[in-house]
Amino acid sequence: MTPTRKLPLGIQTFEELRRKGCLYVDKTDMVWHIANGNKYNYLNRPRRFGKSLLASTLHSYFDGRRDLFEGLKIMERETEWVSRPVFHFDMSSISSEDGFLSYLNRKLSEYEEVYGRVESEGKASDRFAGIIHRSYQKTGQEVAIIIDEYDSPVRNTLNTADHDATRAHYRDFLSILKSEGSYIHCVFITGIAKFTQLSLFSALNTLENLSFRPQYATLCGLTDEEIDQTFAPEMMRLAEANRLTTEQARQRLREHYDGYHFSPNLIDVYNPTSVLKAFNNCVYENNWASDGATLLLPTILMENDVQMEKLDPSSVERTELETSDYLMSNYLVALYQMGYLTIKDYDEWGYTLGFPNDEVRQTLSKIVLPNLTPSLDSPERSSVLGRMASAMERGDVDTAMLCLSQLVAAAPYDNQRHKVLESHFQFLLSMIFYSLNFSVQQEVRVAAGRIDMVVTTRRWLYVIELKLKSNGGVLAAMEQMQARRYVDAYSAQYRQLCQLAIEFDDDTHCVNRWIHSGFQMG
């Protein structure tokens, strides 16, 4: 197997990454343009997209750390390497009013150790203004201010008694960004979502929102070209571990983690954390469920009665997506900002949104499925899903179908979202298969027709046709698959193939029978 190299997993500071000799995808040309462009800058990206590493890279640049940038693109642009005062705030872990005030006091005290303090400066905003003044007087350089994950204190206190007070303290603290502008060289703010109610964005009327700018579409995340240039040995190692060709390994990487678009130019971007974990563990895992989920997501889905099948595709007007406040926007904007939806197309009216990849579909499916099967409690549902996943991985179709039958029977028909019954079952099955972390393709076009569903596990590939009992049932479904030779489209697969016909009862709305590889059950 190809030997391992140092991947920057768990590393969020540029200095540590460079000092340890980790692999690094060079974005420093864009870093230079941000640092030497507009004074006030804002970038929103979902969690785990490298915002903190980007903020740290800017910190090192503003600090004049030329030694950390040797051999990188920025060396072609920067000649002076000015060291200026840098004030860096990481708001990601703040979840209460006391936590907010305590963090500000701690950070400001650190800076006052360097630049001094005046006793009359009581409030955090006054202390920060004083620090900026004295740092400018001491160094003769305009300062750089970095606020990473700026929206966390507001998001984390939503629906709590601390929210209004935290927001008021925050608004007061951030107000000095404009009033002290003559001493500031650059402000760089990152977050998941915009909160215009903080008055930050309305006060900074020259704020440059980089989030939708085509030139910064790949600033956070990885492109195909960058993966080829930087991670070729890791791609080979991933392919070897999963008994795939390099191209097959790449295609599975795309299906799982690619598909994000952050501007109208629709340049594909991979989730960088998920890709690095796949390279490190040599497994196509669902990392988004643990890394990207937020406490607000179930509330958004339930309060808006979100119909998952209507999210992809969905449409939102351009200015609403680009300028909406997190609290005031519709749920599509919130899902986009959190990374559960991405831009799929763009026209004069606005954006078409959809799921970026299988990883996100799987995460949403796990959240939606309990509401589709309410008669099962959580332990029983997890047990059934676990038995079904294990059975499908080892090719035990009959055990898997018994588990599927239980899940379908637990889905009340009055929750049906489709007028066409077969579409209802196809949607329900896709939610179940996605919840199992399997790759799912629906309405797959092949030479002789269109396959209802193709489900891929590590060892098996299932070609599935669904039929109602009144529409010919399993016999008609299997005859259609065999007559049209659906499996021929997958004959070169290293996986074992299974043709699976499933019949649903028109009256009971349950699984009635199934046939797999010509063997009939029921």
Side-chain angles (χ1 to χ4, degrees):
M1 184 172 289
T2 308
T4 58
R5 300 186 294 172
K6 292 182 180 179
L7 298 172
L9 274 170
I11 296 177
Q12 294 186 326
T13 65
F14 182 69
E15 180 177 3
E16 181 184 3
L17 182 150
R18 296 292 283 171
R19 178 165 44 83
K20 291 185 176 179
C22 296
L23 294 177
Y24 177 64
V25 176
D26 190 354
K27 311 275 189 178
T28 57
D29 52 340
M30 288 184 274
V31 167
W32 186 89
H33 280 291
I34 294 171
N36 295 281
N38 200 62
K39 179 175 291 190
Y40 298 103
N41 303 277
Y42 168 73
L43 177 76
N44 77 276
R45 288 291 184 267
R47 291 186 68 214
R48 308 306 183 191
F49 262 82
K51 297 189 298 296
S52 294
L53 179 59
L54 173 62
S56 175
T57 307
L58 276 160
H59 187 147
S60 294
Y61 170 75
F62 288 132
D63 207 25
R65 292 294 305 275
R66 175 175 180 162
D67 57 304
L68 298 177
F69 292 89
E70 291 293 342
L72 300 180
K73 296 176 183 177
I74 200 170
M75 299 299 292
E76 300 174 3
R77 302 179 182 276
E78 184 55 64
T79 57
E80 298 181 2
W81 291 100
V82 174
S83 176
R84 60 181 72 253
V86 185
F87 305 114
H88 191 157
F89 301 88
D90 177 3
M91 303 292 192
S92 60
S93 61
I94 298 174
S95 58
S96 68
E97 177 188 5
D98 287 344
F100 178 74
L101 294 175
S102 176
Y103 176 77
L104 284 188
N105 180 61
R106 185 171 69 253
K107 290 297 293 184
L108 293 175
S109 295
E110 290 176 8
Y111 295 133
E112 285 166 341
E113 286 292 322
V114 180
Y115 299 111
R117 179 177 183 180
V118 176
E119 289 302 321
S120 61
E121 296 168 355
K123 295 192 305 180
S125 56
D126 293 335
R127 292 172 64 188
F128 193 22
I131 291 169
I132 292 173
H133 290 170
R134 290 188 292 276
S135 66
Y136 179 78
Q137 292 168 356
K138 182 176 181 178
T139 66
Q141 296 294 336
E142 294 176 339
V143 308
I145 298 171
I146 298 169
I147 306 177
D148 191 21
E149 302 286 1
Y150 98 97
D151 52 325
S152 291
V154 187
R155 285 189 294 106
N156 293 341
T157 58
L158 277 176
N159 304 317
T160 72
D162 284 358
H163 179 68
D164 289 341
T166 302
R167 191 173 64 181
H169 291 311
Y170 210 171
R171 184 188 301 115
D172 182 63
F173 178 71
L174 293 173
S175 65
I176 63 97
L177 296 181
K178 182 176 182 180
S179 62
E180 304 302 321
S182 59
Y183 301 101
I184 295 173
H185 172 76
C186 182
V187 173
F188 183 71
I189 303 167
T190 79
I192 293 175
K194 286 180 67 175
F195 283 90
T196 55
Q197 291 183 30
L198 280 175
S199 300
L200 169 63
F201 294 93
S202 58
L204 299 179
N205 51 20
T206 60
L207 182 75
E208 180 79 4
N209 186 354
L210 309 179
S211 308
F212 293 87
R213 297 287 187 267
Q215 63 268 39
Y216 298 115
T218 65
L219 179 60
C220 294
L222 300 172
T223 66
D224 269 318
E225 182 180 6
E226 288 168 340
I227 289 176
D228 287 340
Q229 292 175 348
T230 307
F231 299 104
E234 285 68 32
M235 182 64 72
M236 291 178 61
R237 185 169 174 265
L238 181 66
E240 292 171 11
N242 289 273
R243 297 167 55 199
L244 301 171
T245 67
T246 302
E247 185 49 45
Q248 287 172 334
R250 164 59 63 77
Q251 184 58 34
R252 287 194 67 186
L253 202 72
R254 290 191 186 104
E255 293 169 357
H256 275 72
Y257 311 124
D258 194 15
Y260 290 93
H261 305 123
F262 295 119
S263 72
N265 60 9
L266 300 180
I267 297 177
D268 277 347
V269 176
Y270 290 78
N271 179 320
T273 300
S274 293
V275 169
L276 290 175
K277 287 186 175 181
F279 286 150
N280 187 68
N281 302 328
C282 290
V283 176
Y284 297 94
E285 296 175 308
N286 182 353
N287 302 299
W288 189 253
S290 59
D291 286 346
T294 72
L295 295 175
L296 288 176
L297 182 59
T299 301
I300 291 172
L301 295 176
M302 297 309 111
E303 286 186 353
N304 293 282
D305 189 27
V306 173
Q307 301 178 23
M308 189 167 168
E309 69 274 27
K310 293 185 178 180
L311 293 177
D312 189 2
S314 53
S315 298
V316 62
E317 197 266 332
R318 181 182 66 83
T319 56
E320 186 171 15
L321 188 68
E322 294 183 5
T323 65
S324 285
D325 183 276
Y326 188 85
L327 297 174
M328 303 300 292
S329 65
N330 67 44
Y331 66 86
L332 294 174
V333 176
L335 291 175
Y336 169 81
Q337 291 174 338
M338 288 189 288
Y340 290 96
L341 296 177
T342 196
I343 298 169
K344 292 290 188 176
D345 203 358
Y346 173 81
D347 59 25
E348 294 179 354
W349 180 83
Y351 294 98
T352 299
L353 305 179
F355 302 126
N357 50 49
D358 286 350
E359 184 180 39
V360 170
R361 285 180 183 270
Q362 290 164 4
T363 300
L364 276 173
S365 299
K366 289 180 178 179
I367 295 171
V368 171
L369 190 59
N371 299 283
L372 296 177
T373 56
S375 63
L376 294 177
D377 60 28
S378 182
E380 177 64 11
R381 185 184 302 107
S382 296
S383 176
V384 174
L385 289 170
R387 293 198 304 272
M388 184 176 174
S390 177
M392 292 189 70
E393 283 286 13
R394 65 177 184 268
D396 183 356
V397 180
D398 298 330
T399 297
M401 289 301 98
L402 288 172
C403 295
L404 179 68
S405 299
Q406 183 177 354
L407 293 167
V408 171
Y413 185 61
D414 57 10
N415 286 348
Q416 179 184 326
R417 306 287 176 87
H418 299 82
K419 294 181 180 180
V420 180
L421 195 55
E422 285 187 8
S423 297
H424 166 68
F425 290 126
Q426 185 169 337
F427 167 69
L428 182 57
L429 264 60
S430 70
M431 293 297 97
I432 293 170
F433 289 131
Y434 277 125
S435 296
L436 301 178
N437 292 348
F438 295 153
S439 175
V440 182
Q441 296 175 286
Q442 300 181 65
E443 302 297 331
V444 181
R445 297 179 181 274
V446 293
R450 187 164 57 188
I451 306 170
D452 282 345
M453 193 172 292
V454 176
V455 177
T456 306
T457 77
R458 292 185 187 179
R459 300 180 182 88
W460 285 81
L461 187 146
Y462 294 88
V463 177
I464 302 174
E465 192 68 25
L466 312 176
K467 291 287 186 185
L468 293 173
K469 180 180 178 181
S470 61
N471 193 30
V474 291
L475 297 179
M478 183 59 75
E479 181 182 354
Q480 178 176 322
M481 284 192 288
Q482 292 177 341
R484 299 183 182 181
R485 302 179 65 169
Y486 285 164
V487 296
D488 286 7
Y490 303 95
S491 58
Q493 279 273 340
Y494 75 92
R495 295 177 179 85
Q496 299 183 71
L497 300 178
C498 176
Q499 294 180 110
L500 174 59
I502 305 176
E503 176 184 305
F504 296 94
D505 192 285
D506 304 65
D507 299 319
T508 65
H509 308 141
C510 294
V511 175
N512 199 41
R513 304 189 293 169
W514 61 88
I515 297 174
H516 58 93
S517 299
F519 181 75
Q520 182 173 344
M521 288 294 297

